[in-house]
Amino acid sequence: MARPSHARKEVEQALRHAESKGWRVVVGGGHCWGKLYCPYNNADCRCGEFCITSVWSTPRSAGNLARQLRRVVDNCTAGRTATQALDAGEESNDGV
């Protein structure tokens, strides 16, 4: 079943960006519209806190929330480490 789309288009675009990076969007549960969960779930990421961030249904500024969500996804320590490892592997295979 597909998840429901967010009412604010900027936030929806940020959620799609997160999903393209492997993040899981869970809708419902509490005061927020939903939550974003990191695919790596690494204890070392974000100073020992797992990468989870709330997605609000009625943000004061949808643009600011969208930027915040993208920043969390793009600055994920575990995600960066995995990407760097893939890049290093591709560079070593280029010479073959």
Side-chain angles (χ1 to χ4, degrees), residues 52-66:
I52 301 172
T53 189
S54 296
V55 180
W56 302 108
S57 59
T58 55
R60 181 173 288 170
S61 171
N64 286 345
L65 177 61

Side-chain angles (χ1 to χ4, degrees), residues 15-62:
L15 293 174
R16 289 184 183 175
H17 171 74
E19 288 174 328
S20 74
K21 301 287 185 180
W23 287 61
R24 189 168 42 107
V25 179
V26 176
V27 179
H31 299 301
C32 58
W33 179 86
K35 291 190 178 190
L36 279 177
Y37 291 92
C38 178
Y40 303 104
N41 200 20
N42 188 345
D44 296 332
C45 191
R46 295 187 67 188
C47 304
E49 296 179 23
F50 299 128
C51 283
I52 301 172
T53 189
S54 296
V55 180
W56 302 108
S57 59
T58 55
R60 181 173 288 170
S61 171

Side-chain angles (χ1 to χ4, degrees), residues 3-19:
R3 70 166 175 83
S5 61
H6 195 277
R8 306 293 181 138
K9 68 177 182 177
E10 300 95 337
V11 177
E12 179 61 28
Q13 290 171 350
L15 293 174
R16 289 184 183 175
H17 171 74
E19 288 174 328

